[in-house]
């Protein structure tokens, strides 16, 4: 998925994908998403992904780089059918670090919502005259960063240059696999003390969530590759794929 050379104020990018039953799709981007300075309007990116029954989606884009004075608003909505699994990576830089632009953007707003059927609905079949079950939110994350006006919105991450999240959600994975993967991911996060800081948590939905901060782009990339390799190994016994970069 190509986010273009960069986003400016007023741009509105939409990405929609629907995975059919039993498919396995890896989506990535060729380079970082650059968000340029804007005096008023934000650049917007809306991503809607629908994962069919027993399908697998891996969403692994490059990092988002909000330039000084930029305004960015992003939403990622994922609908999971029964048996579906999503691996979702979302990362942002503090700015153009090499130019000493750290936390100098005007605002960044981000929403991630993963929906699926409630446990009681998964085995139910709609009767005559009844509408099919409607997906409900299983996991929602929202944040708004405004460094100049709301310095507390950046808070403890201000001393770091990269912030990232990894969501691995799906009801087709055994509980023992989640427990084993939890330990493996936590061990990976401890391999770069002082360079990477993170933790693994268990959400209400079946799965795991990893939150981390990193000192540099190589630290971020190498950590992602290790986390991704562990997820693929434990969930599907698959090796990682070489992601093409331009």
């Amino acid at each position: 998925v190509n986010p273009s050379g960069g986003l400016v104020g007023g741009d509105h990018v939409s990405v929609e994908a629907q995975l059919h039953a039993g498919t396995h799709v890896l989506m990535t981007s060729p380079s970082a998403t650059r968000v340029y300075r804007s005096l008023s309007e934000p650049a917007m990116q809306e991503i809607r992904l629908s994962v069919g029954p027993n399908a697998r989606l891996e969403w692994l884009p490059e990092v988002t780089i909000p330039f000084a004075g930029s305004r960015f608003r992003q939403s990622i909505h994922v609908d999971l059918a029964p048996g579906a699994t999503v691996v979702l990576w979302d990362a942002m830089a503090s700015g153009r670090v090499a130019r000493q632009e750290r936390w100098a953007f005007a605002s960044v707003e981000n929403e991630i919502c993963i929906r699926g059927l409630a446990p009681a609905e998964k085995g139910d079949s709609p009767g005559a005259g009844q509408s099919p079950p409607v997906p409900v939110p299983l996991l929602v994350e929202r944040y708004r960063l405004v460094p100049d006006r709301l310095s507390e919105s950046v808070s403890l991450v201000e001393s770091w240059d990269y912030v990232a999240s990894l969501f691995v959600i799906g009801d087709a994975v055994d509980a023992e696999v989640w427990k084993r993967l939890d330990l493996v991911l936590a061990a990976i996060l401890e391999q770069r003390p002082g360079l990477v800081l993170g933790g693994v948590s268990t959400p209400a939905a079946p799965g795991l969530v990893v939150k981390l901060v990193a000192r540099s782009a190589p630290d971020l990339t190498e950590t992602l590759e290790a986390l991704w390799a562990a997820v693929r190994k434990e969930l599907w016994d698959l090796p990682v794929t070489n992601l093409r970069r331009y």
Side-chain angles (χ1 to χ4, degrees):
V1 179
N2 193 337
S4 80
L7 304 178
V8 300
D11 280 353
H12 190 163
V13 177
S14 297
V15 178
E16 295 188 16
Q18 183 176 4
L19 278 62
H20 291 273
T23 57
H24 187 160
V25 176
L26 165 62
M27 301 180 73
T28 184
S29 57
S31 62
T33 298
R34 298 167 180 83
V35 187
Y36 297 117
R37 179 173 178 265
S38 173
L39 296 178
S40 56
E41 292 186 86
M44 299 178 62
Q45 180 165 268
E46 294 184 335
I47 299 160
R48 295 189 176 274
L49 309 167
S50 177
V51 190
N54 303 310
R56 306 166 179 170
L57 169 64
E58 297 175 274
W59 176 264
L60 297 167
E62 279 290 286
V63 66
T64 297
I65 306 176
F67 287 26
S70 64
R71 305 170 192 272
F72 183 56
R73 184 179 300 159
Q74 176 178 254
S75 63
I76 304 175
H77 289 186
V78 183
D79 283 351
L80 298 178
T85 304
V86 62
V87 178
L88 191 157
W89 172 257
D90 185 58
M92 66 168 286
S94 62
R96 291 185 292 179
V97 178
R99 295 177 62 91
Q100 306 303 313
E101 284 184 6
R102 300 182 66 258
W103 308 107
F105 52 84
S107 64
V108 167
E109 299 177 57
N110 199 37
E111 176 185 81
I112 294 174
C113 179
I114 300 176
R115 304 193 307 168
L117 298 183
E121 299 175 322
K122 290 175 183 175
D124 296 344
S125 299
Q130 292 182 339
S131 300
V134 177
V136 297
L138 302 176
L139 183 151
V140 178
E141 176 182 89
R142 296 188 184 98
Y143 64 79
R144 180 171 180 255
L145 305 179
V146 188
D148 285 344
R149 291 168 43 199
L150 299 172
S151 58
E152 67 275 11
S153 69
V154 178
S155 190
L156 297 176
V157 303
E158 187 174 4
S159 61
W160 300 83
D161 285 324
Y162 295 87
V163 181
S165 302
L166 177 67
F167 301 89
V168 187
I169 305 295
D171 61 7
V173 181
D174 292 338
E176 289 303 315
V177 175
W178 288 128
K179 292 179 182 178
R180 187 167 62 246
L181 181 59
D182 189 335
L183 297 175
V184 174
L185 298 182
I188 292 172
L189 294 173
E190 296 175 355
Q191 292 176 359
R192 291 179 171 80
L195 301 177
V196 172
L197 177 65
V200 186
S201 61
T202 302
L208 297 171
V209 177
V210 178
K211 312 291 290 186
L212 65 95
V213 290
R215 296 290 183 195
S216 70
D219 291 324
L220 181 74
T221 300
E222 291 171 15
T223 302
L224 166 61
E225 291 175 350
L227 294 171
W228 184 35
V231 169
R232 280 194 143 219
K233 173 64 177 176
E234 295 294 336
L235 265 57
W236 309 310
D237 196 24
L238 291 175
V240 293
T241 301
N242 289 327
L243 300 177
R244 188 173 74 171
R245 297 286 185 249
Y246 292 98

